């Protein structure tokens, strides 16, 4: 195996490890929401907000952590942040006594995970270039398996060892963030593999928004996606109990939701592999299924129907999560990939952070989880509208900015396009003609 191919596999592994542990925290810790409320003597609003704050800060701090990762070694910073994340949950399980201590440790843990997130994201983009969408959707598909295992694992820890030991054991598992750091390899390009000019457009947020204004709507779309993704991991268990299911059956709803999420991510991986990611139907189909599922869930307490609804909702959130993050290079360009990635990640953080507050607010109106599901269905409708506008608007947007273009050829993966051969031949003929005239 060549050095380049090995570096790509390491970058892919680094991103996959992060996504596995992120889903473990989102689905596993989310399933312990009622334990948070009981053990730390707090309200549903604060308990759910504490959990979604952990998930949200993993993405919300992206612009800051991008600067830190650019100024330091991505590998070293990721290893340090992985250790901090692990220690936060060990301390929380061993010594936590109030919800405010939970908030402090969750904020520290979420900020640490944010650097791992943006560092692994940028490293994957550096190594895979134009194939970033396929690579990232594949990593999310592989990582989705952890979403199925995590609620069962955390429920087993909680039943066997108690809530506090469950947090301590989660902290021990989360120490594998260190592996994500070890797998990061700096990008290197040989002279024969890269041709680059220096007159590049400034890779700034303002420049990105001027060049690609439809990115703003994509940010709103992705924030809504993460409101739904973070919320369902918290709400499905208590919603199942609200509908009369047993404790074990309610926990299994999260498992079925994760199975649906796995299918949704597989769907998006196939879509990117076949180059169909710019079609509106890719978004409308799974989101429409979620709207129907949530409408049915509100009006039934049948366990088989609730399981079916959880699967369809999982298909929608899994596919939209994967599609929204993997479209970064498609909705921008090589020049603005870095700033677009940072802001898309930030929009996910905003959505996940406010998800807990929205759950508590909607639930508190009539103390009904049915109202929460109806609210989620209305957000799905907004998703459909925004995605349709974004994909229609981007059709007229050039995918390059400025006069300079960077082209990278990996001789192990693909041959240069025919246009490159033609350009080289024209240059040779031009040089020959000038030599004859002189």
């Amino acid at each position: 195996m060549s050095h380049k191919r090995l570096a790509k596999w390491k970058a892919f592994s680094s991103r996959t490890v992060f996504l596995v542990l992120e889903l473990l925290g989102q689905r596993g810790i989310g399933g312990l929401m009622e334990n948070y409320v009981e053990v730390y003597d707090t309200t549903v609003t604060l308990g759910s907000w504490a959990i979604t704050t952990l998930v949200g800060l993993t993405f919300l701090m992206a612009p800051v952590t991008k600067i830190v990762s650019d100024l330091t070694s991505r590998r070293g910073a990721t290893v340090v942040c992985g250790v901090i994340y692990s220690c936060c949950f060990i301390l929380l399980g061993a010594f936590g006594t109030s919800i405010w201590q939970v908030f402090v440790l969750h904020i520290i843990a979420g900020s640490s995970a944010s650097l791992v997130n943006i560092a692994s994201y940028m490293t994957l983009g550096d190594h895979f270039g134009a194939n970033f969408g396929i690579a990232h959707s594949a990593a999310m598909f592989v990582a989705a398996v952890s979403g199925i295992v995590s609620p069962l694992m955390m429920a087993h820890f909680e039943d066997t060892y108690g809530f506090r030991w469950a947090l301590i054991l989660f902290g021990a598992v989360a120490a594998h963030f260190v592996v994500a750091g070890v797998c990061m390899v700096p990008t290197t390009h040989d002279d024969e593999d890269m041709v680059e000019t220096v007159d590049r457009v400034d890779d700034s947020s303002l420049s990105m928004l001027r060049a690609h204004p439809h990115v703003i709507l994509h940010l709103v779309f992705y924030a809504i996606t993460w409101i739904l993704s973070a919320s369902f991991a918290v709400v499905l268990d208590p919603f199942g109990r609200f509908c009369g299911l047993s404790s074990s059956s309610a926990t299994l709803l999260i498992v079925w939701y994760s199975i649906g999420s796995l299918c949704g991510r597989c769907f998006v991986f196939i879509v990117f592999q076949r180059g169909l990611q710019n079609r509106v139907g890719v978004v409308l189909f799974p989101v429409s299924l979620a709207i129907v599922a949530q409408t049915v869930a509100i009006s039934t307490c049948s366990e088989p129907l609730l399981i079916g609804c959880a699967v369809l909702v999982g298909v929608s959130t899994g596919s939209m999560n994967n599609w929204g993050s993997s479209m970064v290079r498609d909705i921008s360009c090589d020049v603005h990939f870095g700033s677009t990635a940072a802001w898309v990640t930030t929009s996910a953080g905003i959505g996940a952070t406010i998800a807990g507050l929205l759950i508590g607010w909607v639930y508190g109106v009539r103390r009904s989880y049915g109202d929460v599901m109806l609210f989620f269905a209305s957000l799905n409708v907004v998703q459909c509208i925004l995605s349709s506008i974004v994909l229609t608007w981007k059709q007229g947007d050039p995918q390059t900015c400025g006069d300079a273009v960077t082209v990278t050829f990996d001789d192990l993966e693909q041959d240069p396009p025919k246009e490159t051969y033609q350009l080289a031949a024209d240059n040779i003929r031009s040089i020959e003609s000038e030599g004859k005239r002189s």
Side-chain angles (χ1 to χ4, degrees), residues 16-337:
T16 303
V17 169
F18 165 77
L19 292 171
V20 165
L21 295 174
E22 185 275 323
L23 275 177
L24 183 61
Q26 182 189 147
R27 308 277 168 80
I29 299 297
L32 298 177
M33 195 266 284
E34 291 196 343
N35 297 87
Y36 270 70
V37 173
E38 180 182 349
V39 173
Y40 299 115
D41 191 23
T42 187
T43 63
V44 171
T45 300
L46 287 178
S48 59
W49 191 26
I51 295 173
T52 57
T53 295
L54 169 69
V55 178
L57 285 178
T58 303
F59 301 89
L60 184 61
M61 299 292 291
V64 177
T65 53
K66 178 179 181 294
I67 295 173
V68 174
S69 68
D70 289 342
L71 295 176
T72 62
S73 165
R74 288 181 186 174
R75 175 182 290 178
T78 299
V79 170
V80 172
C81 288
V83 173
I84 293 174
Y85 186 95
S86 175
C87 290
C88 284
F89 281 95
I90 294 174
L91 291 173
L92 181 60
F95 305 109
T97 57
S98 73
I99 190 63
W100 305 114
Q101 292 174 347
V102 173
F103 268 105
V104 170
L105 290 172
H106 276 200
I107 288 172
I108 296 173
S111 301
S112 300
S114 178
L115 194 142
V116 183
N117 178 18
I118 197 66
S120 62
Y121 196 95
M122 296 296 295
T123 301
L124 189 72
D126 290 343
H127 282 282
F128 280 88
N131 293 320
F132 169 79
I134 297 176
H136 192 263
S137 59
M140 294 194 76
F141 169 57
V142 173
V145 177
S146 68
I148 301 173
V149 176
S150 54
L152 296 175
M153 183 184 77
M154 293 304 292
H156 172 72
F157 286 165
E158 198 269 332
D159 292 339
T160 307
Y161 306 107
F163 172 69
R164 291 188 176 277
W165 271 104
L167 292 180
I168 293 172
L169 290 171
F170 172 76
V173 174
H176 286 84
F177 269 130
V178 173
V179 176
V182 172
C183 289
M184 287 186 189
V185 179
T187 310
T188 57
H189 295 291
D190 296 332
D191 291 339
E192 72 258 25
D193 292 325
M194 173 168 278
V195 179
E196 183 175 10
T197 58
V198 294
D199 297 326
R200 301 290 300 264
V201 177
D202 177 36
D203 181 17
S204 65
S205 299
L206 183 60
S207 172
M208 179 268 292
L209 293 177
R210 283 200 299 259
H212 312 286
H214 55 269
V215 170
I216 298 174
L217 293 182
H218 188 79
L219 298 180
V220 179
F221 166 86
Y222 203 52
I224 293 175
T225 298
W226 268 94
I227 290 174
L228 296 170
S229 183
S231 296
F232 280 117
V234 174
V235 164
L236 281 177
D237 189 310
F239 176 70
R241 301 182 193 211
F242 172 79
C243 293
L245 300 185
S246 64
S247 176
S248 59
S249 297
T251 301
L252 284 175
L253 285 181
I254 303 179
V255 177
W256 287 110
Y257 167 75
S258 300
I259 292 173
S261 179
L262 174 66
C263 296
R265 294 177 186 222
C266 178
F267 165 70
V268 171
F269 171 66
I270 295 172
V271 163
F272 270 88
Q273 197 174 40
R274 298 191 176 186
L276 304 175
Q277 64 269 22
N278 293 313
R279 301 200 176 180
V280 177
V282 171
V283 177
L284 297 186
F285 173 66
V287 174
S288 299
L289 291 179
I291 295 173
V292 174
Q294 289 165 95
T295 304
V296 172
I298 297 170
S299 58
T300 184
C301 289
S302 168
E303 184 173 350
L305 285 177
L306 290 176
I307 290 173
C309 292
V311 171
L312 292 178
V313 167
V315 170
S316 174
T317 56
S319 58
M320 291 305 94
N321 194 325
N322 195 350
W323 181 83
S325 59
S326 300
M327 279 289 290
V328 170
R329 195 171 287 276
D330 289 75
I331 62 172
S332 60
C333 63
D334 289 343
V335 174
H336 296 114
F337 172 75

Side-chain angles (χ1 to χ4, degrees), residues 378-397:
S378 66
L379 290 181
N380 283 134
V381 175
V382 177
Q383 273 188 310
C384 291
I385 296 173
L386 288 175
S387 61
S388 300
I389 296 174
V390 169
L391 290 176
T392 302
W393 194 350
K394 85 175 273 294
Q395 299 303 320
D397 177 55

